[in-house]
Amino acid sequence: MSLTTLPHGDPAVVGDDKFHEECGVFGVWNVSDAAAVTALGLHALQHRGQEATGIVTFDGARFHSHKGMGLVGDNFGDARVIASLPGPRAIGHNRYATTGDTVLRNVQPLYADFEFGGFAVAHNGNLTNAHVLHRALVRRGCLFQSTTDSEVFIHLIAISLYSTVVDRLIDALKQVVGAYSLVALSNEALMGVRDPLGVRPLILGRIGADASGGAGAANGANGGWVLASETCALDIVGAEFVRDVEPGEIVVINDKGVHSIKPFGRTPERFCVFEYIYFARPDSVMEGMPVYEARKRIGAELARESHVPADVIVPVPDSGVPAAMGYAEEAGVPFDLGIIRNHYVGRTFIEPTDHIRNLGVKLKHSANRAVLEGKRVVLVDDSIVRGTTSRKIVEMVRAAGAKEVHMRISSPPTTHSCFYGIDTPERGKLLAARHSVEEMAQLINADSLAFVSIDGLYRALGSKGRDAKAPRFCDACFTGDYPVPLPDQADNNDRQLSLLTESR
Ligand code: AMP
């Protein structure tokens, strides 16, 4: 999250369309070429953030850091950069923020020198009380260097009265509210943390633990450890999946091994269901379930719920592909590539204005007339946010000669903004927050439109349906049921109200 500063110095999300970041984190302990291994891990996590990237290493005496705007390959493709990051321990971060705060000082990992040594932290998620904490910390004299919510961790650790870094970290964690998966590096340890509800993912892996030492191991048989947002980052570096870091767990990794601390009381888990629908890479396994499989199953459920007679099932690439495959299989209708994606254009969301976004969609997708002409087409995509993509794609498919165009969406309607680390526009810009499904169908000019039901989504992911009293996932973007309190929202509303009163 970005903390926008008002002229009088108070931070607030005012006038921001977007206030979220999407991020990927990675860390290694006891691995030779730690910076290169981390760059590879970040490369596999590039889909979680394309705006900026950074790596901090520790060589046993000193910390080293390199950060830059842009992609991992743009920043860490040069061997000289990797050589400037010595040491067998490292953490890294990919960031994708959409506010104006796209400046180098916001790029993570954040680093600070403390009395106990150095400390670097990389964060995926959003702290929902960041503004409240920021204001309190500024009043105490803390000088913020960035406008990211993640920096509150640094200051909370700095002012903590505990002596060890782990105790200070726990002290800080007990004051933050929100969704966070963290990797952190101190002189003594690599640490990984998941928030008590486990909203964002974090996994633990082993690297080079075989007798030969394997790729990347710094000390042969003992091997090293890896923390990552997703399993696809383990695969690329030849690491083995050990387990998910548990919700509310801190793993402290040093040469003695992995030590687990659970400083919070037990709360029911609420993993983000949108990771399965869209965000994670399809070759990752999350909470024991392959994402690819999950997407195919959601597609099959969608077909069971809302299939219409059709000649061809066409995915909106890339994110709609597995769901469309599952749909086609279930419906017994051929799957075909009626839309071709240009891979050299960034995600639609990177474009900041509606006008440019419209151009972006045209740049990104084109219709494959050979598949579409004269056909009754079912288009499958993972979500409708503003409706920009669907509107353009339907228009494109009609222009390529399709007889009918039916849109099927492998998520329920997105009616609420995410405050936990998935980039979404403010609620007023979400198409489904303002319109019924029938109205949306008209707006995107589809012959019909259907979304998978919330129970269908849960069924596809192995539950009987959504248990309203104890939902298994965080599905706030579809239900408005926010599992983590949103103090900043209340705070901002109060504050904006008082500003209005003051100005009258
Ligand atoms: P829109 O065009 O605004 O309706 O956005 C929907 C499209 O954006 C879909 O094709 C999704 O695959 C994609 N999408 C959904 N959520 C996100 C997100 N958080 N970040 C980037 N792209 C997204």
Side-chain angles (χ1 to χ4, degrees):
M1 181 194 285
S2 293
L3 300 162
T4 320
T5 306
L6 288 176
H8 61 287
D10 266 359
V13 180
V14 176
D16 268 348
D17 171 14
K18 309 274 193 57
F19 25 68
H20 299 131
E21 291 172 15
E22 301 175 328
C23 303
V25 296
F26 188 86
V28 287
W29 178 268
N30 197 22
V31 163
S32 56
D33 294 327
V37 171
T38 302
L40 276 175
L42 292 178
H43 185 68
L45 298 172
Q46 189 73 82
H47 60 289
R48 298 185 74 88
Q50 302 98 41
E51 187 187 71
T53 182
I55 294 177
V56 169
T57 64
F58 182 58
D59 63 11
R62 293 184 57 197
F63 284 83
H64 308 268
S65 165
H66 183 83
K67 303 191 232 181
M69 308 305 293
L71 302 176
V72 177
D74 298 338
N75 286 285
F76 296 106
D78 184 338
R80 284 168 303 185
V81 172
I82 296 293
S84 73
L85 297 167
R89 307 163 192 178
I91 62 170
H93 187 262
N94 285 338
R95 173 173 194 256
Y96 166 32
T98 47
T99 55
D101 299 306
T102 52
V103 288
L104 203 51
R105 68 193 174 122
N106 282 346
V107 181
Q108 299 189 31
L110 300 175
Y111 175 82
D113 281 310
F114 293 117
E115 52 194 296
F116 57 77
F119 184 82
V121 65
H123 169 210
N124 172 211
N126 275 129
L127 304 183
T128 55
N129 67 341
H131 292 97
V132 175
L133 286 174
H134 181 278
R135 199 157 52 233
L137 287 163
V138 167
R139 282 189 187 134
R140 284 192 62 160
C142 295
L143 301 174
F144 276 74
Q145 304 292 312
S146 76
T147 56
T148 70
D149 63 344
S150 316
E151 197 182 334
V152 300
F153 286 115
I154 297 278
H155 294 287
L156 290 172
I157 288 169
I159 63 172
S160 173
L161 298 175
Y162 288 91
S163 53
T164 71
V165 60
V166 173
D167 286 340
R168 283 173 181 238
L169 177 62
I170 294 171
D171 192 23
L173 294 172
K174 288 196 166 161
Q175 297 172 68
V176 302
V177 181
Y180 50 87
S181 280
L182 303 180
V183 294
L185 188 63
S186 72
N187 295 46
E188 281 94 37
L190 170 69
M191 288 152 276
V193 189
R194 262 179 102 190
D195 71 71
L197 298 183
V199 176
R200 303 258 72 87
L202 189 67
I203 50 150
L204 175 69
R206 199 88 166 94
I207 186 165
D210 57 5
S212 66
N219 71 344
N222 289 333
W225 296 96
V226 186
L227 289 168
S229 295
E230 295 184 31
T231 59
C232 64
L234 298 185
D235 298 336
I236 197 172
V237 301
E240 265 174 43
F241 173 78
V242 174
R243 63 178 177 88
D244 289 286
V245 175
E246 287 178 33
E249 181 183 13
I250 303 175
V251 289
V252 180
I253 299 167
N254 56 28
D255 284 337
K256 290 190 211 132
V258 179
H259 177 53
S260 166
I261 305 169
K262 293 181 183 159
F264 309 104
R266 244 196 116 59
T267 35
E269 190 169 331
R270 296 290 288 274
F271 183 62
C272 168
V273 76
F274 202 63
E275 292 273 356
Y276 286 117
I277 292 166
Y278 169 81
F279 201 40
R281 230 171 72 163
D283 54 334
S284 286
V285 179
M286 299 213 135
E287 305 275 303
M289 186 181 299
V291 172
Y292 182 72
E293 195 53 41
R295 286 182 191 166
K296 282 181 77 176
R297 286 168 60 166
I298 301 169
E301 195 63 45
L302 182 60
R304 278 192 286 278
E305 288 185 349
S306 64
H307 184 52
V308 280
D311 304 308
V312 64
I313 311 300
V314 170
V316 178
D318 290 326
S319 47
V321 173
M325 289 171 77
Y327 186 111
E329 222 170 280
E330 178 67 26
V333 176
F335 166 97
D336 224 332
L337 299 180
I339 299 165
I340 306 301
R341 160 113 189 244
N342 181 337
H343 284 270
Y344 305 98
V345 182
R347 284 185 177 187
T348 326
F349 267 44
I350 290 172
E351 313 299 348
T353 67
D354 282 341
H355 171 65
I356 301 294
R357 245 190 309 274
N358 285 344
L359 290 178
V361 175
K362 278 191 210 141
L363 287 174
K364 198 162 116 177
H365 296 114
S366 54
N368 185 5
R369 184 173 278 273
V371 167
L372 302 168
E373 197 159 18
K375 303 268 179 61
R376 294 170 301 168
V377 177
V378 168
L379 282 173
V380 181
D381 200 359
D382 61 88
S383 57
I384 292 182
V385 183
R386 293 180 182 78
T388 322
T389 308
S390 314
R391 202 175 297 151
K392 287 287 157 197
I393 298 276
V394 171
E395 182 187 310
M396 199 181 275
V397 169
R398 285 202 193 281
K403 227 164 49 185
E404 290 173 24
V405 186
H406 303 275
M407 191 86 198
R408 294 294 177 268
I409 304 294
S410 63
S411 65
T414 303
T415 50
H416 291 74
S417 302
C418 175
F419 296 96
Y420 309 135
I422 298 282
D423 168 48
T424 42
E426 66 190 29
R427 196 163 177 226
K429 293 203 173 157
L430 299 173
L431 200 66
R434 293 181 287 128
H435 299 283
S436 66
V437 174
E438 292 70 30
E439 287 168 348
M440 290 169 80
Q442 279 178 17
L443 285 167
I444 66 168
N445 193 24
D447 292 295
S448 74
L449 168 68
F451 295 79
V452 76
S453 68
I454 190 81
D455 283 325
L457 174 63
Y458 272 76
R459 276 195 299 274
L461 297 173
S463 300
K464 280 196 185 132
R466 184 179 194 267
D467 177 347
K469 286 202 192 102
R472 195 175 129 207
F473 297 106
C474 174
D475 52 22
C477 50
F478 309 127
T479 60
D481 175 1
Y482 290 100
V484 186
L486 304 174
D488 280 352
Q489 299 316 108
D491 178 58
N492 281 324
N493 292 342
D494 290 352
R495 227 184 40 75
Q496 284 176 47
L497 208 66
S498 72
L499 280 179
L500 278 176
T501 324
E502 276 163 28
S503 65
R504 259 193 230 128

